[in-house]
Amino acid sequence: MSIWKYANPAQFMRTTDGLLPWLVGAAAICCTAGVVWGFLTPDDFRQGSTVKIVFLHVPAAMMAINIWVMMLIASLIWIIRRHHVSALAAKAAAPIGAVMTLIALATGAIWGQPMWGTWWEWDPRLTSFLILFLFYVGYIALWSAVEDPDSAADLTGVLCLVGSVFALLSRYAVLFWNQGLHQGASLSVQSGERMSHVYRYPLYLAMLGFFLLFLALLLIRTRTEIRRRRLAALQAREMRA
Amino acid sequence: MIALLLRDLRLATRAGGGFGLGVAFFLILSALVPFGVGPDRATLAPVAPGILWVGALLACLLSLDRLFALDHEDGSLDLLATAPLPLEGTVAIKALAHWITTGLPLVLAAPLFGVLLQLPGQAMPWLVVSLAVGTPALSMLGAFGAALTVGLRRGGLLLSLLVLPLYIPTLIFGAEITRRGAEGQATATPLLFLAGITLGVLALIPWAAAAALRVNLR
Amino acid sequence: MSLLSVHDLAVARGGLRTVEGVTFALEAGQALILRGPNGLGKTTLLRAVAGLQAPVAGRIEMREDTVAYAAHADGLKPALTASENLAFWAQVFGGGGIDRALAAMDLTALAHRPAAALSAGQKRRLGLARLMVTARPIWVLDEPTVSLDTASVGRFAQMLAGHMAQGGAALIATHIDLGLPQARVLDLTPYRARPGTRATRPSGFNEAFA
């Protein structure tokens, strides 16, 4: 038994069917607990109460990047091993990623207004996220524009590959272009203690919550896509019979 | 391959080919910007490098949707795919033809538009150099976008949506070279980055574009 | 070895198998005419043989770069003259004999006219003359006689006969009688894919989930 058995649509549906309620429940608990706990933390001595938006901002930003990475891996699996579920998972993940990027940008703007005195700054991190959002939009648009599902899966796969390279390239080009205002990573392994424990544990919980939320949404969306394909295939057979 | 290049160039220069349209568009853009931001040298000069580069990007984009679409409609693309030419070579040649008909005229005409936008004289050589190094990447990335959208009915708008984000690194370094040239700073670093991006694009994108074309042909 | 042999071929259009189990071989000097009702998958099958589309199942055996394909679109550029169009394809395919090709389809008088100024039938003749300059042995033709008059069909049949006499072969989907005594006819109707039979490999994206 290898991991590839889950690439079989029927097996995938069976497995996720049992998994989904637990996942949705866990995601709801972790998200709520993380954000509420985050809200009950004391005010930061410099940033005041505005710091609390971090419990939405950081997990969303983290997922925005990781979802693209997941789409890249799923696209590679589709291109190399031709597992249909993989292509659909990449398709299902894109809108979630786009929304996560939007949440990160919006919460950043709301936080930035009182802290930096501006809604928007052409800071490398902000700019990179805007670019990432553009890549998500292009990817989603290409999926919806191509009618033949095989071609759509192949074309978006190629776009995801090339897009990944250019998203990374843009990230460093933007760094070169403008050194920014944005603070360094909130959580970092090398830099040691940067954030108090008071904030760190609720943040971990919120991040876990967002990850579970993504997983649950991804499974729901992938299952919907699979059902749509099955319906289309059955209708096509019906028409011909 | 030479035959394909010559044919594309010949088609571009004959009636309806649209040779030089890019330059005309560039001219209009350079003429419109001062109406928008005001005629002051003090306002125009600092934004000139950026405007010129964004103009080059848009001018390049104008003729992209016809890069493969015309050949797709009249069946030439099917025939080219069955020809002994590798499809990667076909893509590269068509991108080269696109560059010669849009990119190269832009490079040559750029100083003129620089004058219109009050670009300082010392930046002119850098504007030309940055465009000469950067525009081949624009054509090749455009060919990739055109290959992705070749079979689509409303491909034009989608093409811009897909291609423009890919242009960001080239735009950043290209405009940076010109800006540094205008301010008399060292330009070697962004120039090397720009050249690196162009070379990488020229080396790798033909494969991605040919893969997309094959998908769209079947 | 035959020029082209097809074993147990199945092709799909729009994610559904159209024909399956098609087997035939084509020797030098032979022509095979495919017949069957509209929508059976003749065009799809020809595209698969030409290498433009991957078959769903089966094998297509031939040497590389031996097929010249001609379909509904002629691949002509309206801004180029008739002879320029031919010269381009001759260069791309590494063939020659443009004058001979023009003469064969009675286009010599129109050689210097832009393709935009040709009538539909004249364009079709030019598109067929292109086959002669490709220097390829197997011609794969999809409804080659559309918009041709009787005289032109006769000229085209002559051109085909000449091609086969030189050791070429042709695979043609057509509904009219070309008047080629040496041509065999293959009716594809019995090969129509039966819905409900479980394919070994899904023929389309959606079918993978059914």
Side-chain angles (χ1 to χ4, degrees):
Chain A
M1 273 299 172
S2 76
I3 185 174
W4 299 115
K5 74 175 177 179
Y6 295 105
N8 177 308
Q11 178 70 44
F12 178 85
M13 291 300 267
R14 267 198 304 279
T15 313
T16 53
D17 195 38
L19 200 61
L20 204 49
W22 296 102
L23 211 52
V24 172
I29 292 170
C30 288
C31 277
T32 320
V35 172
V36 170
W37 185 5
F39 225 78
L40 298 176
T41 53
D43 289 356
D44 183 76
F45 75 100
R46 272 183 301 130
Q47 304 183 3
S49 58
T50 59
V51 73
K52 285 165 187 173
I53 207 164
V54 93
F55 301 105
L56 289 175
H57 179 72
V58 171
M62 176 191 82
M63 290 319 295
I65 298 169
N66 290 353
I67 289 172
W68 185 274
V69 176
M70 175 255 150
M71 280 163 55
L72 173 63
I73 295 168
S75 300
L76 280 173
I77 293 175
W78 159 248
I79 289 171
I80 296 167
R81 298 199 54 143
R82 313 301 287 181
H83 289 309
H84 293 75
V85 175
S86 182
L88 288 186
K91 180 188 183 186
I96 311 175
V99 170
M100 289 290 178
T101 319
L102 269 188
I103 293 176
L105 284 171
T107 52
I110 294 167
W111 177 86
Q113 217 292 321
M115 293 317 295
W116 295 341
T118 172
W119 293 103
W120 181 258
E121 187 62 43
W122 286 98
D123 162 273
R125 275 177 192 247
L126 274 64
T127 314
S128 305
F129 264 77
L130 190 62
I131 296 171
L132 184 63
F133 182 67
L134 293 179
F135 276 106
Y136 273 122
V137 171
Y139 181 88
I140 297 168
L142 189 60
W143 254 112
S144 61
V146 184
E147 276 165 30
D148 179 56
D150 262 303
S151 307
D154 285 338
L155 293 175
T156 51
V158 176
L159 178 68
C160 187
L161 246 68
V162 174
S164 302
V165 175
F166 275 83
L168 207 65
L169 210 57
S170 302
R171 170 90 182 98
Y172 290 101
V174 164
L175 270 182
F176 180 86
W177 164 73
N178 192 357
Q179 308 296 328
L181 284 173
H182 201 292
Q183 52 266 65
S186 303
L187 294 170
S188 166
V189 183
Q190 292 125 5
S191 55
E193 295 287 301
R194 297 181 73 167
M195 203 183 203
S196 162
H197 291 301
V198 183
Y199 299 118
R200 206 183 317 179
Y201 293 126
L203 183 56
Y204 284 149
L205 194 61
M207 283 161 80
L208 179 67
F210 267 66
F211 176 72
L212 291 173
L213 176 68
F214 162 65
L215 221 54
L217 287 173
L218 176 69
L219 289 185
I220 293 170
R221 290 184 53 86
T222 311
R223 287 166 61 85
T224 312
E225 286 288 342
I226 288 177
R227 291 206 171 104
R228 234 176 77 190
R229 303 297 155 180
R230 187 177 288 170
L231 183 66
L234 292 177
Q235 275 173 339
R237 280 190 195 172
E238 189 72 19
M239 255 167 35
R240 226 173 45 140
Chain B
M1 283 185 135
I2 303 291
L4 181 60
L5 179 64
L6 290 178
R7 182 195 73 150
D8 273 16
L9 293 181
R10 194 180 282 166
L11 284 175
T13 49
R14 295 227 173 142
F19 186 78
L21 266 186
V23 177
F25 174 80
F26 207 23
L27 172 66
I28 290 175
L29 198 80
S30 306
L32 286 181
V33 167
F35 293 133
V37 303
D40 279 353
R41 175 178 286 268
T43 357
L44 277 176
V47 294
I51 299 288
L52 288 168
W53 257 94
V54 171
L57 243 63
L58 296 179
C60 208
L61 203 62
L62 271 186
S63 50
L64 274 182
D65 58 335
R66 304 196 310 175
L67 194 60
F68 294 116
L70 290 181
D71 278 342
H72 185 62
E73 276 162 27
D74 66 18
S76 304
L77 207 55
D78 281 346
L79 301 179
L80 283 172
T82 57
L85 242 59
L87 207 52
E88 287 81 5
T90 305
V91 169
I93 288 294
K94 292 203 75 89
L96 176 63
H98 178 263
W99 182 73
I100 292 175
T101 51
T102 38
L104 190 59
L106 281 188
V107 173
L108 299 177
L112 189 65
F113 304 117
V115 170
L116 284 181
L117 290 176
Q118 311 284 12
L119 189 72
Q122 54 181 342
M124 291 299 179
W126 294 113
L127 175 66
V128 174
V129 167
S130 67
L131 281 174
V133 174
T135 45
L138 300 186
S139 287
M140 187 56 89
L141 286 172
F144 171 62
L148 280 178
T149 55
V150 69
L152 301 177
R153 266 171 281 110
R154 291 166 293 108
L157 199 59
L158 181 62
L159 176 65
S160 340
L161 187 63
L162 297 181
V163 164
L164 284 177
L166 301 179
Y167 282 177
I168 291 171
T170 302
L171 170 65
I172 287 178
F173 290 118
E176 182 74 10
I177 293 169
T178 319
R179 196 184 59 76
R180 290 193 178 191
E183 292 169 4
Q185 296 174 0
T187 51
T189 319
L191 189 57
L192 285 177
F193 275 121
L194 184 67
I197 289 170
T198 300
L199 290 177
V201 162
L202 293 184
L204 298 177
I205 291 296
W207 272 270
L213 266 189
R214 282 197 191 96
V215 170
N216 270 325
L217 279 179
R218 70 177 183 221
Chain C
M1 185 191 138
S2 45
L3 273 177
L4 166 73
S5 58
V6 168
H7 301 281
D8 204 19
L9 187 72
V11 293
R13 169 166 33 79
L16 282 177
R17 283 186 177 213
T18 55
V19 290
E20 59 190 9
V22 181
T23 301
F24 61 82
L26 209 51
E27 311 288 335
Q30 283 185 342
L32 183 66
I33 292 176
L34 301 179
R35 281 191 210 269
N38 285 339
L40 190 60
K42 296 188 294 295
T43 297
T44 319
L45 194 145
L46 293 181
R47 285 181 73 84
V49 171
L52 290 167
Q53 192 173 11
V56 178
R59 295 196 312 281
I60 300 170
E61 287 170 3
M62 59 183 163
R63 274 182 294 116
E64 245 180 72
D65 290 342
T66 46
V67 166
Y69 174 71
H72 310 284
D74 292 312
L76 302 175
K77 288 292 168 196
L80 300 183
T81 67
S83 61
E84 278 172 340
N85 267 305
L86 277 192
F88 166 66
W89 289 115
Q91 274 176 301
V92 167
F93 281 87
I98 296 155
D99 294 333
R100 206 163 50 83
L102 283 172
M105 288 314 286
D106 192 24
L107 289 164
T108 314
L110 306 170
H112 298 294
R113 201 180 277 191
L118 298 180
S119 75
Q122 288 164 340
K123 276 186 198 160
R124 188 84 261 222
R125 271 148 63 195
L126 186 56
L128 293 172
R130 179 186 59 81
L131 292 166
M132 285 187 74
V133 304
T134 56
R136 293 210 162 166
I138 308 170
W139 290 0
V140 174
L141 311 173
D142 194 358
E143 300 289 355
T145 54
V146 172
S147 63
L148 288 187
D149 55 21
T150 329
S152 304
V153 171
R155 226 172 264 121
F156 171 59
Q158 256 180 3
M159 184 174 108
L160 266 180
H163 175 61
M164 286 183 285
Q166 288 170 11
L171 181 64
I172 311 165
T174 182
H175 285 101
I176 67 155
D177 186 16
L178 287 171
L180 285 171
Q182 64 271 57
R184 285 180 295 143
V185 173
L186 177 69
D187 191 350
L188 285 178
T189 318
Y191 299 102
R192 186 196 290 272
R194 283 173 304 281
T197 50
R198 191 68 195 172
T200 47
R201 187 185 134 194
S203 55
F205 198 95
N206 293 344
E207 281 286 310
F209 298 102

PDB file of all heavy atoms in Angstrom, chain A residues 16 27 45 59 73-75 90 105-106 117 119 126 128 139 144 153 171 175 239:
ATOM      1  N   THR A  16     -11.962  10.756   2.857  1.00  0.00           N
ATOM      2  CA  THR A  16     -12.249  12.106   3.318  1.00  0.00           C
ATOM      3  C   THR A  16     -13.639  12.203   3.924  1.00  0.00           C
ATOM      4  O   THR A  16     -13.888  13.073   4.748  1.00  0.00           O
ATOM      5  CB  THR A  16     -12.135  13.111   2.166  1.00  0.00           C
ATOM      6  OG1 THR A  16     -12.948  12.653   1.081  1.00  0.00           O
ATOM      7  CG2 THR A  16     -10.709  13.237   1.698  1.00  0.00           C
ATOM      8  N   ALA A  27     -10.925  22.489  13.206  1.00  0.00           N
ATOM      9  CA  ALA A  27     -10.595  23.804  12.650  1.00  0.00           C
ATOM     10  C   ALA A  27     -11.395  24.884  13.363  1.00  0.00           C
ATOM     11  O   ALA A  27     -10.855  25.930  13.749  1.00  0.00           O
ATOM     12  CB  ALA A  27     -10.894  23.820  11.150  1.00  0.00           C
ATOM     13  N   PHE A  45       3.283  46.962  24.888  1.00  0.00           N
ATOM     14  CA  PHE A  45       3.654  48.255  25.472  1.00  0.00           C
ATOM     15  C   PHE A  45       3.924  49.318  24.407  1.00  0.00           C
ATOM     16  O   PHE A  45       3.818  50.496  24.668  1.00  0.00           O
ATOM     17  CB  PHE A  45       4.859  48.099  26.431  1.00  0.00           C
ATOM     18  CG  PHE A  45       6.172  47.895  25.750  1.00  0.00           C
ATOM     19  CD1 PHE A  45       7.055  48.962  25.593  1.00  0.00           C
ATOM     20  CD2 PHE A  45       6.547  46.648  25.271  1.00  0.00           C
ATOM     21  CE1 PHE A  45       8.270  48.770  24.979  1.00  0.00           C
ATOM     22  CE2 PHE A  45       7.752  46.473  24.668  1.00  0.00           C
ATOM     23  CZ  PHE A  45       8.624  47.526  24.502  1.00  0.00           C
ATOM     24  N   PRO A  59      -1.320  34.108  10.630  1.00  0.00           N
ATOM     25  CA  PRO A  59      -1.740  32.815  10.077  1.00  0.00           C
ATOM     26  C   PRO A  59      -2.204  32.923   8.628  1.00  0.00           C
ATOM     27  O   PRO A  59      -1.879  32.060   7.808  1.00  0.00           O
ATOM     28  CB  PRO A  59      -2.904  32.405  10.981  1.00  0.00           C
ATOM     29  CG  PRO A  59      -2.728  33.158  12.234  1.00  0.00           C
ATOM     30  CD  PRO A  59      -2.074  34.442  11.858  1.00  0.00           C
ATOM     31  N   ILE A  73       3.117  21.723  -5.664  1.00  0.00           N
ATOM     32  CA  ILE A  73       3.358  20.284  -5.498  1.00  0.00           C
ATOM     33  C   ILE A  73       2.253  19.484  -6.183  1.00  0.00           C
ATOM     34  O   ILE A  73       2.518  18.518  -6.913  1.00  0.00           O
ATOM     35  CB  ILE A  73       3.448  19.943  -3.996  1.00  0.00           C
ATOM     36  CG1 ILE A  73       4.682  20.623  -3.390  1.00  0.00           C
ATOM     37  CG2 ILE A  73       3.526  18.437  -3.797  1.00  0.00           C
ATOM     38  CD1 ILE A  73       4.716  20.587  -1.881  1.00  0.00           C
ATOM     39  N   ALA A  74       1.012  19.920  -5.984  1.00  0.00           N
ATOM     40  CA  ALA A  74      -0.109  19.203  -6.604  1.00  0.00           C
ATOM     41  C   ALA A  74       0.000  19.251  -8.131  1.00  0.00           C
ATOM     42  O   ALA A  74      -0.258  18.259  -8.814  1.00  0.00           O
ATOM     43  CB  ALA A  74      -1.432  19.801  -6.140  1.00  0.00           C
ATOM     44  N   SER A  75       0.407  20.417  -8.672  1.00  0.00           N
ATOM     45  CA  SER A  75       0.551  20.533 -10.119  1.00  0.00           C
ATOM     46  C   SER A  75       1.643  19.599 -10.620  1.00  0.00           C
ATOM     47  O   SER A  75       1.507  18.968 -11.670  1.00  0.00           O
ATOM     48  CB  SER A  75       0.889  21.967 -10.510  1.00  0.00           C
ATOM     49  OG  SER A  75      -0.124  22.837 -10.092  1.00  0.00           O
ATOM     50  N   ALA A  90      -5.332  21.156  -6.691  1.00  0.00           N
ATOM     51  CA  ALA A  90      -4.670  22.424  -6.982  1.00  0.00           C
ATOM     52  C   ALA A  90      -5.706  23.472  -7.359  1.00  0.00           C
ATOM     53  O   ALA A  90      -5.654  24.618  -6.912  1.00  0.00           O
ATOM     54  CB  ALA A  90      -3.659  22.244  -8.111  1.00  0.00           C
ATOM     55  N   LEU A 105      -3.547  40.995   3.382  1.00  0.00           N
ATOM     56  CA  LEU A 105      -3.387  42.381   2.924  1.00  0.00           C
ATOM     57  C   LEU A 105      -4.336  43.311   3.673  1.00  0.00           C
ATOM     58  O   LEU A 105      -3.936  44.400   4.108  1.00  0.00           O
ATOM     59  CB  LEU A 105      -3.665  42.465   1.419  1.00  0.00           C
ATOM     60  CG  LEU A 105      -2.557  41.942   0.506  1.00  0.00           C
ATOM     61  CD1 LEU A 105      -3.040  41.879  -0.934  1.00  0.00           C
ATOM     62  CD2 LEU A 105      -1.320  42.828   0.602  1.00  0.00           C
ATOM     63  N   ALA A 106      -5.581  42.866   3.861  1.00  0.00           N
ATOM     64  CA  ALA A 106      -6.577  43.732   4.500  1.00  0.00           C
ATOM     65  C   ALA A 106      -6.244  43.949   5.969  1.00  0.00           C
ATOM     66  O   ALA A 106      -6.243  45.090   6.451  1.00  0.00           O
ATOM     67  CB  ALA A 106      -7.971  43.117   4.353  1.00  0.00           C
ATOM     68  N   GLY A 117       0.695  54.967   9.973  1.00  0.00           N
ATOM     69  CA  GLY A 117       0.050  56.175   9.500  1.00  0.00           C
ATOM     70  C   GLY A 117      -0.346  56.113   8.040  1.00  0.00           C
ATOM     71  O   GLY A 117      -0.572  57.136   7.401  1.00  0.00           O
ATOM     72  N   TRP A 119      -2.496  53.468   4.933  1.00  0.00           N
ATOM     73  CA  TRP A 119      -3.178  52.216   4.607  1.00  0.00           C
ATOM     74  C   TRP A 119      -2.278  51.309   3.772  1.00  0.00           C
ATOM     75  O   TRP A 119      -2.338  50.111   3.857  1.00  0.00           O
ATOM     76  CB  TRP A 119      -4.463  52.470   3.820  1.00  0.00           C
ATOM     77  CG  TRP A 119      -5.511  53.175   4.613  1.00  0.00           C
ATOM     78  CD1 TRP A 119      -5.845  54.494   4.526  1.00  0.00           C
ATOM     79  CD2 TRP A 119      -6.362  52.613   5.612  1.00  0.00           C
ATOM     80  NE1 TRP A 119      -6.849  54.792   5.405  1.00  0.00           N
ATOM     81  CE2 TRP A 119      -7.190  53.644   6.090  1.00  0.00           C
ATOM     82  CE3 TRP A 119      -6.512  51.339   6.158  1.00  0.00           C
ATOM     83  CZ2 TRP A 119      -8.147  53.454   7.064  1.00  0.00           C
ATOM     84  CZ3 TRP A 119      -7.479  51.135   7.131  1.00  0.00           C
ATOM     85  CH2 TRP A 119      -8.276  52.191   7.578  1.00  0.00           C
ATOM     86  N   LEU A 126       4.592  43.811   1.514  1.00  0.00           N
ATOM     87  CA  LEU A 126       3.258  44.127   1.023  1.00  0.00           C
ATOM     88  C   LEU A 126       3.198  43.949  -0.484  1.00  0.00           C
ATOM     89  O   LEU A 126       2.267  43.352  -1.026  1.00  0.00           O
ATOM     90  CB  LEU A 126       2.886  45.566   1.394  1.00  0.00           C
ATOM     91  CG  LEU A 126       2.272  45.783   2.776  1.00  0.00           C
ATOM     92  CD1 LEU A 126       3.247  45.431   3.867  1.00  0.00           C
ATOM     93  CD2 LEU A 126       1.801  47.205   2.924  1.00  0.00           C
ATOM     94  N   SER A 128       5.095  42.095  -2.373  1.00  0.00           N
ATOM     95  CA  SER A 128       5.178  40.681  -2.734  1.00  0.00           C
ATOM     96  C   SER A 128       3.826  40.012  -2.602  1.00  0.00           C
ATOM     97  O   SER A 128       3.453  39.174  -3.423  1.00  0.00           O
ATOM     98  CB  SER A 128       6.182  39.953  -1.850  1.00  0.00           C
ATOM     99  OG  SER A 128       7.411  40.591  -1.913  1.00  0.00           O
ATOM    100  N   TYR A 139      -4.093  32.448 -12.199  1.00  0.00           N
ATOM    101  CA  TYR A 139      -4.270  30.989 -12.174  1.00  0.00           C
ATOM    102  C   TYR A 139      -5.753  30.627 -12.194  1.00  0.00           C
ATOM    103  O   TYR A 139      -6.193  29.787 -12.986  1.00  0.00           O
ATOM    104  CB  TYR A 139      -3.600  30.448 -10.907  1.00  0.00           C
ATOM    105  CG  TYR A 139      -3.672  28.950 -10.746  1.00  0.00           C
ATOM    106  CD1 TYR A 139      -2.693  28.130 -11.295  1.00  0.00           C
ATOM    107  CD2 TYR A 139      -4.708  28.364 -10.028  1.00  0.00           C
ATOM    108  CE1 TYR A 139      -2.758  26.760 -11.149  1.00  0.00           C
ATOM    109  CE2 TYR A 139      -4.772  26.987  -9.877  1.00  0.00           C
ATOM    110  CZ  TYR A 139      -3.798  26.194 -10.434  1.00  0.00           C
ATOM    111  OH  TYR A 139      -3.864  24.839 -10.291  1.00  0.00           O
ATOM    112  N   SER A 144     -10.764  28.902 -15.275  1.00  0.00           N
ATOM    113  CA  SER A 144     -12.159  29.101 -15.662  1.00  0.00           C
ATOM    114  C   SER A 144     -12.288  29.393 -17.148  1.00  0.00           C
ATOM    115  O   SER A 144     -13.381  29.251 -17.699  1.00  0.00           O
ATOM    116  CB  SER A 144     -12.773  30.230 -14.841  1.00  0.00           C
ATOM    117  OG  SER A 144     -12.060  31.414 -15.089  1.00  0.00           O
ATOM    118  N   ALA A 153      -6.214  21.526 -16.923  1.00  0.00           N
ATOM    119  CA  ALA A 153      -5.325  21.020 -15.883  1.00  0.00           C
ATOM    120  C   ALA A 153      -3.866  21.136 -16.323  1.00  0.00           C
ATOM    121  O   ALA A 153      -3.006  21.555 -15.547  1.00  0.00           O
ATOM    122  CB  ALA A 153      -5.678  19.570 -15.572  1.00  0.00           C
ATOM    123  N   ARG A 171       9.841  38.390  -5.620  1.00  0.00           N
ATOM    124  CA  ARG A 171      10.080  38.619  -4.200  1.00  0.00           C
ATOM    125  C   ARG A 171      11.451  39.250  -3.993  1.00  0.00           C
ATOM    126  O   ARG A 171      11.581  40.242  -3.289  1.00  0.00           O
ATOM    127  CB  ARG A 171       9.978  37.280  -3.463  1.00  0.00           C
ATOM    128  CG  ARG A 171      10.431  37.297  -2.031  1.00  0.00           C
ATOM    129  CD  ARG A 171       9.271  37.634  -1.107  1.00  0.00           C
ATOM    130  NE  ARG A 171       9.714  37.703   0.276  1.00  0.00           N
ATOM    131  CZ  ARG A 171      10.011  38.841   0.888  1.00  0.00           C
ATOM    132  NH1 ARG A 171       9.916  39.979   0.236  1.00  0.00           N
ATOM    133  NH2 ARG A 171      10.382  38.843   2.153  1.00  0.00           N
ATOM    134  N   LEU A 175      12.698  43.209  -3.124  1.00  0.00           N
ATOM    135  CA  LEU A 175      13.617  43.525  -2.031  1.00  0.00           C
ATOM    136  C   LEU A 175      14.701  44.472  -2.504  1.00  0.00           C
ATOM    137  O   LEU A 175      15.111  45.391  -1.795  1.00  0.00           O
ATOM    138  CB  LEU A 175      14.285  42.252  -1.517  1.00  0.00           C
ATOM    139  CG  LEU A 175      13.588  41.520  -0.390  1.00  0.00           C
ATOM    140  CD1 LEU A 175      14.422  40.328   0.020  1.00  0.00           C
ATOM    141  CD2 LEU A 175      13.392  42.451   0.793  1.00  0.00           C
ATOM    142  N   MET A 239     -25.837  11.315 -22.819  1.00  0.00           N
ATOM    143  CA  MET A 239     -26.132  11.944 -24.085  1.00  0.00           C
ATOM    144  C   MET A 239     -25.800  11.021 -25.253  1.00  0.00           C
ATOM    145  O   MET A 239     -26.446  11.063 -26.292  1.00  0.00           O
ATOM    146  CB  MET A 239     -25.327  13.237 -24.218  1.00  0.00           C
ATOM    147  CG  MET A 239     -26.192  14.449 -24.006  1.00  0.00           C
ATOM    148  SD  MET A 239     -25.285  15.960 -23.789  1.00  0.00           S
ATOM    149  CE  MET A 239     -23.876  15.826 -24.817  1.00  0.00           C
TER     150      MET A 239
END
